[in-house]
């Protein structure tokens, strides 16, 4: 327990000191957005055992909504982020309501199909900029006074948002609702036999996950100043699965580690090997599934747990 | 609701009328009329494949009957959903141990108690607010001799303990009608005795309908026994009556020569 506290402390110091350490803040912001996205995904997969193949739809739809409102309607960044999050939540409600009627691979296929639908809407709609996406999204001033144009200011805003989401997910998992969600994850028929209408709980989990994924997407739109089709694309849905599995599903910090590894590989390896980075990430993924299924954080936690106490008889 | 209660509702807590389940031409449960008397321990026995578990799944709405009606406390519950039936006080256990493996024993029991608080959708509250239920949960764990293991994650409990935990969780629902699907299956003898005693204790103020293979258990605690074969009721009555029924002996032994007691 103390080791974890020390690790979190060091990490917090590092995160606060990033602008002083000469690390490119935009890269760190990208990492934080991806980490937030992965944490949101993990809420669904790790604690609700629902495998979505379409989470980019929520991430991307929120990014488009925020980007469009800021660019075409001159909304402030705060209101535009809230709007993006609401769009993602409503979309999550619609997709979730259909998908939770099925389980396992069928659930995944429904999310995939509906996400493709969202992708085509983003491609064809008159306000999304088609193949070009939305370019030149201004960052504006948060609450009318915080100039987000400065990378350092925006970095701290994104960091604060990430920490808030991280703590929020912890709370959700450790809430009365979280208890029921874990029970449903563990044994659906048993939860039903105890009187729970399990679909309502699954739907709430789905909407929460979609909403937080949307928050990550909205922030990303402001960080980069553009929104493109890649934000709603199938490959982005795949990437978030990869980050979550690599880091460790059902652990709190796993998705953050997964996002950091994937983002770092993409950032630094692509300079060295170009397009091969996709192949390398693929190999890493296969290695993860074959040899450390619990993910990086999951395996570390399991190793620590084994050393600590033998199971009771 | 009281106006629609037929006269039998007080005497019989559960009744099925012509209950039938067909799986693509195969009659798993065929025209079963069963009456479960309030306050009784009613055992459902029969050879493998007799349709006992299918019948259970029909009662608890996990399967939809092809034909027939299920009357619980004088009310037709045939069109209801499984969770509704559970909330109405008819709670089942499962053939294989049904615990929540990644929750602790205490949390397992608390899941059943939690619904009463009305905060099950409250994702913003801390789970410490569930602490008010801990005392009751510990009492239930005490009942099945699990109090010392309250903090242990269920997946780490031995098999017999898991079954005990499952019973504690079911009792936490304070069901009027307890449906137990082979509660002693796969248990060592001392566990069987403990669970038998527990069922008897639980039945003091409620009705129990159980599927059970172990004849010793059935003969000691069941007030009424119904024998199913190929989806149909072939006999019903006390142990003494049923165990002398030639059709029952035939079903179990393939001949009417031996006493049923030796069947297991």
């Amino acid at each position: 327990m103390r080791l974890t506290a020390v690790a979190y402390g060091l990490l917090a110091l590092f995160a606060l000191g990033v602008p002083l350490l000469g690390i490119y803040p935009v890269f760190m912001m990208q990492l934080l957005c991806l980490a937030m996205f992965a944490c949101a995904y993990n809420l669904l997969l790790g604690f609700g055992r629902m495998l979505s193949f379409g989470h980019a739809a929520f991430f991307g739809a929120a990014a488009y909504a925020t980007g469009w409102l800021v660019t075409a309607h001159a909304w402030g960044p705060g209101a535009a982020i809230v709007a993006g999050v609401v769009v993602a939540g409503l979309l999550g409600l619609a997709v979730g309501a259909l998908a939770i009627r099925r389980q396992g691979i069928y659930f995944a296929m429904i999310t995939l199909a509906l996400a493709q639908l969202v992708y085509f809407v983003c491609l064809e709609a008159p306000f999304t900029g088609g193949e070009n996406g939305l370019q030149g999204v201004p960052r504006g001033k948060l609450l009318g006074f915080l100039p987000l144009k400065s990378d350092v200011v925006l970095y701290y805003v994104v960091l604060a948002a990430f920490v808030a989401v991280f703590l929020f997910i912890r709370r959700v998992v450790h809430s009365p609702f979280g208890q029921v969600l874990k029970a449903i994850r563990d044994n659906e028929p048993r939860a039903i036999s105890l009187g729970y209408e399990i679909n309502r709980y699954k739907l709430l989990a789905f909407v929460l996950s979609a909403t937080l994924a949307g928050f990550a997407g909205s922030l990303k739109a402001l960080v980069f100043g553009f929104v493109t089709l890649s934000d709603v694309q199938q490959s982005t849905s795949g990437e978030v699965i990869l980050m979550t599995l690599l880091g460790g599903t059902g652990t709190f910090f796993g998705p953050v580690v997964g996002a950091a590894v994937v983002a770092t590989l993409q950032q630094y390896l692509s300079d060295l090997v170009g397009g091969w980075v996709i192949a390398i990430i693929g190999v890493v993924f296969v290695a993860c599934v074959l040899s450390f299924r619990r993910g990086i954080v999951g395996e570390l936690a399991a190793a620590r747990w084994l050393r600590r106490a033998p199971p009771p008889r | 609701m009281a106006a629609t209660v037929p006269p039998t509702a007080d005497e019989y807590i559960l009744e099925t009328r012509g209950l039938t389940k067909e799986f693509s031409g195969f009659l798993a449960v065929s025209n079963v009329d069963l009456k479960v008397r309030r306050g009784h321990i009613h055992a459902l026995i029969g050879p493998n494949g007799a349709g006992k578990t299918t019948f259970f799944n029909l009662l608890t709405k996990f399967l939809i009957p092809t034909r027939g009606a299920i009357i619980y406390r004088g009310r037709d519950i045939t069109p209801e959903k499984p969770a509704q039936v559970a909330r109405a006080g008819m709670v089942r256990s499962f053939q294989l141990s049904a615990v929540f493996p990644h929750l602790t024993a205490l949390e397992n029991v608390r899941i059943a108690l939690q619904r009463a608080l009305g905060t099950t959708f409250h994702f913003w509250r801390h789970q410490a607010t569930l602490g008010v239920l801990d005392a009751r949960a510990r009492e239930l764990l005490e009942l099945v001799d699990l109090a010392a293991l309250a903090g242990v994650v269920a997946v780490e409990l031995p098999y017999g303990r898991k079954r005990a935990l499952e019973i504690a969780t079911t009792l936490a629902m304070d069901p009027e009608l307890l449906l137990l699907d082979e509660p002693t299956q796969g248990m060592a003898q001392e566990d069987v005795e403990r669970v038998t005693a527990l069922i008897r204790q639980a039945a003091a103020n409620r009705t129990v309908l159980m599927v059970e293979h172990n004849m010793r258990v059935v003969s000691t605690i069941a007030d009424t026994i119904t024998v199913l074969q190929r989806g149909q009721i072939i006999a019903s009555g006390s142990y003494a009556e049923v165990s002398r029924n030639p059709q029952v002996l035939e079903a179990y032994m393939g001949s009417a020569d031996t006493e049923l007691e030796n069947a297991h």
Side-chain angles (χ1 to χ4, degrees), chain A residues 171 174 176 186 190 196 201, chain B residues 102 111 114 120 124 127 170:
Chain A
R171 169 50 66 89
H174 290 143
D186 275 9
R190 182 54 170 165
Y196 288 102
Y201 297 87
Chain B
H102 298 103
I111 289 288
Q114 215 177 313
T120 53
W124 57 90
Q127 61 188 6
T170 307

Side-chain angles (χ1 to χ4, degrees), chain A residues 168 171-172 174-177 179-180 183 185-187 189-190 192-197 200-201 204 305 312, chain B residues 62 82-83 86-87 92 98-102 107 111 114-115 119-120 122-125 127 156 166 170 173:
Chain A
F168 175 75
R171 169 50 66 89
V172 171
H174 290 143
S175 71
F177 168 73
Q179 283 281 309
V180 178
R185 169 195 72 183
D186 275 9
N187 194 334
R190 182 54 170 165
I192 296 171
S193 83
L194 295 179
Y196 288 102
E197 303 281 355
R200 295 188 193 166
Y201 297 87
L204 178 55
W305 179 82
Chain B
F62 278 74
R87 289 198 297 271
R92 70 172 296 177
V99 294
F100 302 115
H102 298 103
E107 286 171 330
I111 289 288
Q114 215 177 313
R115 229 165 18 78
T119 60
T120 53
H122 291 194
F123 57 81
W124 57 90
R125 246 174 237 265
Q127 61 188 6
E156 290 167 13
E166 191 194 338
T170 307
M173 295 282 288

Side-chain angles (χ1 to χ4, degrees), chain A residues 18 23-32 139 151 154-155 223-224 267:
Chain A
V18 156
I23 300 169
Y24 185 40
V26 173
F27 168 67
M28 281 306 290
M29 287 189 269
Q30 180 197 11
L31 197 159
L32 286 173
R139 288 178 181 176
D151 279 346
L154 185 57
Y155 169 74
V223 168
F224 284 98
Q267 176 81 7

Side-chain angles (χ1 to χ4, degrees), chain B residues 19-23 26-34 43-58 63 95 181-182 210-213 215 225-235 247-248 250-252 264:
Chain B
L19 200 64
T20 301
K21 179 67 185 178
E22 219 177 298
F23 293 111
F26 167 71
L27 275 173
V29 170
S30 167
N31 216 15
V32 169
D33 295 311
L34 181 84
L44 203 59
I45 65 170
N48 284 328
K52 302 181 300 282
T53 296
T54 306
F55 183 67
F56 247 50
N57 283 332
L58 289 173
L63 283 174
Q95 200 170 82
D181 197 353
E182 305 203 15
M210 58 193 282
V211 167
E212 182 55 69
H213 269 307
M215 281 306 152
I225 297 167
T226 296
V227 188
L228 275 184
Q229 190 191 14
R230 297 196 198 94
Q232 284 175 310
I233 295 182
I234 56 170
Q247 226 184 327
V248 173
E250 176 92 25
Y252 266 86
H264 271 261

Side-chain angles (χ1 to χ4, degrees), chain B residues 6 22 34 45 50 55 65-66 72 102 104 107 109 132 134 140 174-175 180 182 211 253 256 262:
Chain B
E22 219 177 298
L34 181 84
I45 65 170
F55 183 67
T66 314
Y72 171 64
H102 298 103
T104 64
E107 286 171 330
V109 176
V132 295
D134 287 359
L140 287 154
D174 197 16
L180 302 173
E182 305 203 15
V211 167
M253 304 297 296
N262 306 324

Side-chain angles (χ1 to χ4, degrees), chain B residues 69-89:
Chain B
I70 303 160
I71 318 294
Y72 171 64
R73 293 197 306 199
R75 194 162 55 91
D76 188 350
I77 58 159
T78 322
E80 290 187 0
K81 287 194 287 181
Q84 263 177 306
V85 172
R87 289 198 297 271

Side-chain angles (χ1 to χ4, degrees), chain A residues 187-219:
Chain A
N187 194 334
E188 277 195 20
R190 182 54 170 165
I192 296 171
S193 83
L194 295 179
Y196 288 102
E197 303 281 355
I198 58 165
N199 278 354
R200 295 188 193 166
Y201 297 87
K202 286 171 146 186
L203 183 57
L204 178 55
F206 197 94
V207 171
L208 286 174
S209 171
T211 306
L212 297 176
F215 191 18
S218 289
L219 285 173

